[in-house]
Amino acid sequence: MVTTSVPTAPTATAQQTLGKAAQWSGVGLHSGQSVEVTLKPSPANTGRQFVRLDLERQPVIPAQIDAVQSTQLATELVANGASVRTVEHLLAALAIAGIDNVTIEITGSEVPVLDGSAQPWLEGIQRVGVVPQEIPRPAVILKEPVTIYEGAAFVSAIPAPELRLTYGIDFPYAAIGRQWCSFTPSELAVAVAPARTFGFAEQVEYLRSQGLIQGGSLENALVCSVSGWVNPPLRFADEPVRHKLLDLWGDLALLGTPPIAHYVAYRASHHLHTQLARAIAQQMV
């Protein structure tokens, strides 16, 4: 049976995959290169994995924490002599939709940014539906609390009766300032998936000189300046912190099924997100 709505991971006890294949195309946020992505159903216990169609032998890159190579402004995975970058929005969408097993065929080295959020991915998944599989999804409980600090920033996972994500940010821009949000996974499809990536006008020239954000535009990212938002309106008054929470969930998806816990992050980054995931993975062995 194919489900036509997008379920959330905690409500499903069986593993799930897509009802049929779905395709997207767009440009990479950092590379600026055009790329196509096709999501295809996969058997139970396959997990989420990328396949580089543009490379000889079409190497497979598992979406697992052990494959993380770089976390500079995005999460990059490397395996079998190949890489794929900026995976976090797509992985967040798959986690929100409860997709455990999927083959992600991609024709380049960076996942397209689309509109800067996870919403287009979720909408495509909703169109093709979600299929329950015969194998149960593992229920993983966090054994011990984990906290990782980096200056004033930190990430933490705390044993809890239900899974919750809480995030805080603090930027020296009046339009953003200090923001906090907190949601359960069942709320993410509506409250977090539409939140777009954001950046700062004063940093654009420097980042582009470093070979970054080559595909960034006012159509796929919110841009803030000392004077305010360059391209309003926002989808949420606190859209920046909601997007950071989306990034966190995408990075935690590299665990496969993140343990039931309360995840708390403050002024964190992909580096801290993935460090937390690595520490949790040690408990899951």
Side-chain angles (χ1 to χ4, degrees):
M1 179 181 70
V2 175
T3 323
T4 55
S5 62
V6 175
T8 56
T11 64
T13 56
Q15 293 182 35
Q16 299 184 127
T17 191
L18 296 171
K20 60 181 179 178
Q23 188 173 56
W24 294 258
S25 61
V27 299
L29 175 62
H30 295 294
S31 67
Q33 296 178 349
S34 297
V35 66
E36 291 185 355
V37 171
T38 303
L39 304 186
K40 292 186 173 181
S42 290
N45 292 332
T46 302
R48 309 175 189 113
Q49 55 186 11
F50 291 87
V51 179
R52 286 287 304 272
L53 295 184
D54 58 311
L55 298 180
E56 188 179 1
R57 297 187 298 276
Q58 300 184 351
V60 174
I61 308 168
Q64 297 174 359
I65 189 60
D66 289 344
V68 173
Q69 176 75 21
S70 171
T71 53
Q72 184 185 22
L73 298 184
T75 299
E76 180 184 31
L77 307 176
V78 176
N80 298 314
S83 66
V84 62
R85 187 180 190 187
T86 318
V87 299
E88 55 272 12
H89 302 167
L90 171 53
L91 293 181
L94 292 169
I96 290 170
I99 300 296
D100 304 278
N101 305 297
V102 60
T103 298
I104 307 163
E105 296 183 344
I106 186 167
T107 62
S109 62
E110 186 176 24
V111 175
V113 65
L114 303 181
D115 75 345
S117 78
Q119 189 67 25
W121 300 111
L122 268 181
E123 290 173 350
I125 292 168
Q126 185 172 18
R127 283 192 293 271
V128 300
V130 178
V131 176
Q133 298 174 294
E134 297 298 322
I135 306 298
R137 176 184 292 136
V140 186
I141 306 296
L142 187 71
K143 299 174 184 176
E144 301 287 342
V146 180
T147 301
I148 300 172
Y149 293 94
E150 191 174 82
F154 73 87
V155 288
S156 185
I158 305 160
E162 70 168 2
L163 203 157
R164 174 170 287 275
L165 300 135
T166 299
Y167 215 108
I169 60 174
D170 193 353
F171 286 98
Y173 287 79
I176 300 177
R178 182 174 295 171
Q179 300 179 357
W180 283 91
C181 68
S182 185
F183 298 103
T184 63
S186 64
E187 300 172 297
L188 299 184
V190 173
V192 171
R196 294 162 291 175
T197 192
F198 64 98
F200 304 101
E202 292 77 14
Q203 298 178 2
V204 168
E205 185 176 342
Y206 170 75
L207 291 174
R208 286 189 170 158
S209 74
Q210 300 300 300
L212 299 167
I213 64 169
Q214 303 300 307
S217 72
L218 297 180
E219 282 68 53
N220 58 34
L222 287 169
V223 178
C224 188
S225 75
V226 293
S227 303
W229 291 105
V230 174
N231 55 336
L234 275 64
R235 294 175 178 174
F236 308 98
D238 59 350
E239 190 168 354
V241 73
R242 294 186 189 219
H243 184 80
K244 292 290 288 184
L245 190 149
L246 179 71
D247 282 345
L248 172 63
W249 196 226
D251 288 334
L252 290 174
L254 294 168
L255 291 168
T257 301
I260 297 170
H262 188 175
Y263 298 93
V264 183
Y266 177 65
R267 295 177 62 180
S269 60
H270 290 295
H271 173 69
L272 277 177
H273 298 167
T274 54
Q275 288 294 102
L276 178 65
R278 288 185 193 277
I280 292 170
Q282 293 301 310
Q283 291 193 27
M284 295 170 65
V285 174

